[in-house]
Amino acid sequence: MCGIVGYIGDRNAVPLLLEGLHRLEYRGYDSSGVTVLEQGHLETRKAVGKIAELELHLANGSAPHGNLGIAHTRWATHGAPNRINAHPHLDCTGEIAIVHNGIIENAAVLRQKLQQLGHVFRSETDTEVVAHLIEEAYDGGGLEGAVRAALTQVEGAYGLAIMSSRDPDTLVAARKGSPLLLGIGENGEYFIASDVAAVLAQTRQVIYLDDGEIAVLRRDGYNITELAGGAISKEVKQIEWDLEAIERGGFEHFMMKEIFEQPETLRNTMRGRLLEEEGTVRLGGITLSAAELKGIKRVIVTACGTSWHAGLLGGYMMEELVRVPVEVEYASEFRYRNPVVDENTLCIAISQSGETADTLAAMREAKRRGAIVMGIVNAVGSTIARESDFGMYLHAGPEIGVASTKAFTSQVVALAQFTLLMGRLRTLSVLQGREIVAALRRLPEQVERVLELDDAIREIARIYKSATNFLYLGRGYNYPTALEGALKLKEISYIHAEGLPAAEMKHGPIALIDENMPVVIVAPQDGVYSKVLSNVQEVKARGGRIIAVVTEGDTELDGMVDHVIPIPRAIDLLTPVLATVPLQLLAYHIAVMRGCNVDMPRNLAKSVTVE
């Protein structure tokens, strides 16, 4: 993986391909490349590092000119991040070029078979195998038939864009487990992309491919079929957001922009959904009846990374307010266990992109076992959105920074709304429901107040920017908050950080605490506040330096902690939203001061579409 762009039309392909690659830079990558059909021959250019390196290479008089091409940014899975392993990859003849996201699981077996047939491999990648398979299958049926024959031998996940000098008016796309879409331009122009951001400057008309589908694009039109050949009619989607939504808007980094967008994104997540008088919510995407929702006996939440932290919070909410047992599972573990799932189980799959490979596979496994499946995603038209039985969109807008910020807080608020809906059907009174609705309405304004602390948090970051380890502690709802705060610091500053339940600190990790160990304690005045005070004293007694996130007006920690970050008072289940924002800012400022690339941290990708 990571980013795919393809073009067929009447314009010069290279500028359009490079523009598309730039729109995908946020996804994380280590090399890039383009292939263009020029005067009947495939011309390929690759570079290691940022797209600027590729552009420099192309600017030195070597840019090909043609109106059919494919391009790719690579995040290494098979083979080192070098020029040879960069995409596009060619067959032996140099007449077939492909770009690929995903992993070919039987690549080693296929490579050995192809080598025995005389094929010569140039790279270490699994991707190159597909190019040689297509070469081997090429006959009078043209590129489409060769691709179809090759893919019947492939096991694993792929999003592919393929071109050939033998078939100069054709661009082929294929998908299985890795997102891919078609962009429909004007005057016979068509695009392929792994993310709508890559084509948004050219068109708002897109078609999302589903698994097992192949698209063939020509200047006179396109057709979409199943791998076996059956024709498919697909709906053309209109993209509603525009390029301004993915520009930095005066901020130094996308991550900072997205942190400051949170008051508005939270409003968008709640817009039109809160019913104050009834003390509940209206969720148009929830298609189950009240009786069916009340029939749910058990909930499994499955997610990865930051979304898993949101899922933990959702689990706490539902057990407390809905009184239904909840298990929160790492998607990568759930899919390989033998979980107990039946028709009375609700599986909630959470993913910002809606394409996370492990989460998608876990959701499919739950569905196969009879569970009702709900998706909570940000990306409209994503695979999880399409394959779940029902769900909720976050409406947080495109999130470009690799480290999730606004999507996380919107996920928490989405889960709070679903919890409220379920709770009102079961145990919550209308008065309790109104209290939660009122707290949700206050939340965006409260986040705005937290963001006013940015300068003070920057000064705290200056003090601790050279630390090599951090501990984050929280209890109850704020244990997942501590996990998320630690993850943000790890992701973008490369400082080791560990999130813990505060009470567990004394069962081992307390041995780490000394004057060189900063400890972030999330300590709002909630139901477990008195217990957290004891944990603060334990850290202070051992010389730890404490940064405390506290409720505004709290003076009990004066003299016990080194730094205080006050947040507005909120009901317990919404406090994590307010407590997370200063931890995002702390991680951001430390990372910037350390010279890190906060939008594209090393080794990370925005949407993890491989196992």
Side-chain angles (χ1 to χ4, degrees):
M1 59 186 204
C2 204
I4 289 174
V5 189
Y7 171 76
I8 184 170
D10 294 326
R11 287 189 281 172
N12 184 19
V14 169
L16 298 171
L17 296 173
L18 290 174
E19 179 187 51
L21 291 185
H22 275 300
R23 299 292 181 193
L24 300 179
E25 278 195 284
Y26 73 94
R27 298 172 70 90
Y29 65 101
D30 47 55
S31 60
S32 60
V34 299
T35 294
V36 171
L37 181 67
E38 182 179 53
Q39 297 182 350
H41 300 283
L42 298 187
E43 294 291 335
T44 299
R45 306 290 185 269
K46 305 180 186 183
V48 177
K50 297 305 178 186
I51 294 168
E53 296 296 323
L54 177 63
E55 290 176 315
L56 183 63
H57 184 41
L58 292 168
N60 291 334
S62 69
H65 191 284
N67 49 32
L68 170 64
I70 55 178
H72 191 265
T73 50
R74 176 179 186 250
W75 185 76
T77 54
H78 289 64
N82 58 37
R83 189 168 174 274
I84 293 174
N85 290 329
H87 298 214
H89 287 288
L90 306 180
D91 70 323
C92 294
T93 68
E95 296 175 338
I96 299 166
I98 74 169
V99 291
H100 166 229
N101 285 349
I103 290 179
I104 308 303
E105 293 177 355
N106 60 336
V109 173
L110 292 173
R111 179 185 285 253
Q112 184 178 27
K113 172 184 172 183
L114 288 161
Q115 285 173 330
Q116 290 171 352
L117 293 171
H119 290 263
V120 177
F121 285 78
R122 301 175 181 86
S123 76
E124 303 169 86
T125 68
D126 56 330
T127 298
E128 191 183 350
V129 165
V130 182
H132 292 283
L133 283 175
I134 296 170
E135 176 192 1
E136 189 67 27
Y138 219 108
D139 56 22
L143 181 61
E144 178 183 354
V147 170
R148 216 178 281 282
L151 293 182
T152 61
Q153 304 176 63
V154 169
E155 298 173 7
Y158 54 77
L160 290 162
I162 307 138
M163 59 185 290
S164 173
S165 58
R166 303 188 204 178
D167 213 336
D169 295 312
T170 302
L171 188 59
V172 177
R175 172 190 169 147
K176 180 184 176 185
S178 189
L180 212 58
L181 60 88
L182 311 185
I184 303 173
E186 298 179 352
N187 304 317
E189 283 191 330
Y190 297 98
F191 301 84
I192 295 172
S194 54
D195 188 312
V196 71
V199 300
L200 195 58
Q202 307 303 326
T203 180
R204 293 172 180 270
Q205 303 286 320
V206 303
I207 296 173
Y208 293 96
L209 294 185
D210 287 310
D211 283 356
E213 293 180 350
I214 293 179
V216 180
L217 288 68
R218 299 185 176 90
R219 290 174 180 83
D220 60 356
Y222 65 89
N223 63 78
I224 301 171
T225 61
E226 299 170 338
L227 182 58
I232 300 172
S233 177
K234 302 280 291 188
E235 180 183 0
V236 179
K237 302 282 189 179
Q238 174 76 20
I239 302 302
E240 300 298 335
W241 47 273
D242 55 29
L243 281 173
E244 289 184 3
I246 57 173
E247 299 295 349
R248 287 201 298 266
F251 288 90
E252 185 178 356
H253 299 98
F254 283 113
M255 183 177 179
M256 191 60 152
K257 171 179 177 278
E258 288 155 7
I259 290 172
F260 273 79
E261 284 178 341
Q262 287 175 111
E264 188 58 28
T265 56
L266 293 179
R267 291 186 181 101
N268 290 341
T269 302
M270 295 184 282
R271 183 165 285 123
R273 290 173 167 172
L274 302 183
L275 302 176
E276 206 141 7
E277 185 63 28
E278 295 92 331
T280 188
V281 292
R282 180 195 299 112
L283 302 178
I286 308 300
T287 56
L288 294 188
S289 67
E292 288 171 320
L293 287 171
K294 285 194 281 188
I296 292 168
K297 305 299 184 188
R298 179 164 162 262
V299 176
I300 295 173
V301 181
T302 184
C304 303
T306 284
S307 296
W308 185 78
H309 298 157
L312 276 179
L313 289 166
Y316 289 3
M317 294 176 196
M318 283 183 270
E319 288 201 335
E320 179 183 0
L321 302 180
V322 183
R323 305 307 299 158
V324 62
V326 182
E327 298 171 41
V328 183
E329 298 262 10
Y330 282 113
S332 56
E333 292 298 315
F334 176 83
R335 62 183 294 196
Y336 291 114
R337 294 198 300 103
N338 187 20
V340 179
V341 176
D342 60 25
E343 66 276 6
N344 295 317
T345 301
L346 172 66
C347 175
I348 302 177
I350 309 174
S351 166
Q352 188 281 137
S353 68
E355 303 290 353
T356 308
D358 284 322
T359 306
L360 178 57
M363 184 188 83
R364 287 170 172 166
E365 178 64 17
K367 195 169 188 177
R368 187 184 69 81
R369 291 169 177 262
I372 306 163
V373 173
M374 173 182 177
I376 297 180
V377 302
N378 191 35
V380 175
S382 59
T383 306
I384 290 176
R386 296 196 305 275
E387 293 193 11
S388 54
D389 296 318
F390 60 89
M392 293 179 67
Y393 282 122
L394 301 180
H395 301 300
E399 186 176 67
I400 306 302
V402 168
S404 181
T405 52
K406 65 179 183 177
F408 170 74
T409 50
S410 289
Q411 286 169 349
V412 175
V413 167
L415 287 161
Q417 291 175 95
F418 181 68
T419 297
L420 176 56
L421 176 68
M422 291 280 285
R424 286 287 288 114
L425 291 172
R426 297 187 180 214
T427 62
L428 292 180
S429 69
V430 65
L431 293 178
Q432 291 171 309
R434 287 174 183 168
E435 179 187 0
I436 295 171
V437 170
L440 285 165
R441 286 203 186 279
R442 289 192 298 269
L443 197 59
E445 183 273 332
Q446 291 178 316
V447 171
E448 288 173 346
R449 285 162 52 192
V450 175
L451 291 170
E452 293 172 2
L453 303 173
D454 183 46
D455 288 341
I457 294 170
R458 184 187 294 110
E459 290 310 306
I460 296 173
R462 198 177 308 280
I463 295 169
Y464 296 103
K465 65 181 180 182
S466 298
T468 55
N469 296 281
F470 268 76
L471 283 181
Y472 285 70
L473 305 178
R475 298 185 79 145
Y477 282 107
N478 286 300
Y479 163 49
T481 309
L483 290 174
E484 177 61 14
L487 178 60
K488 284 293 150 291
L489 189 68
K490 283 184 279 196
E491 285 180 312
I492 63 172
S493 75
Y494 318 139
I495 295 172
H496 172 257
E498 188 174 356
L500 296 169
E504 288 300 303
M505 175 192 60
K506 58 183 173 289
H507 297 287
I510 198 167
L512 299 171
I513 294 175
D514 60 19
E515 66 278 3
N516 298 314
M517 173 68 81
V519 179
V520 178
I521 297 183
V522 186
Q525 290 178 324
D526 58 11
V528 290
Y529 177 67
S530 62
K531 302 298 183 183
V532 177
L533 288 182
S534 299
N535 302 134
V536 171
Q537 291 167 335
E538 290 165 355
V539 174
K540 194 64 180 175
R542 287 154 181 84
R545 304 176 72 185
I546 302 175
I547 303 165
V549 178
V550 305
T551 303
E552 286 176 342
D554 182 6
T555 59
E556 286 196 56
L557 291 174
D558 290 355
M560 295 171 58
V561 302
D562 298 273
H563 311 278
V564 169
I565 301 174
I567 61 172
R569 186 177 300 276
I571 60 175
D572 286 3
L573 74 156
L574 297 182
T575 296
V577 173
L578 299 173
T580 295
V581 174
L583 303 187
Q584 294 170 348
L585 290 168
L586 181 65
Y588 171 83
H589 288 302
I590 288 175
V592 170
M593 291 173 189
R594 291 167 66 94
C596 301
N597 186 339
V598 296
D599 284 338
M600 290 179 283
R602 68 188 184 201
N603 303 331
L604 298 182
K606 181 63 178 173
S607 179
V608 183
T609 56
V610 297
E611 288 189 50

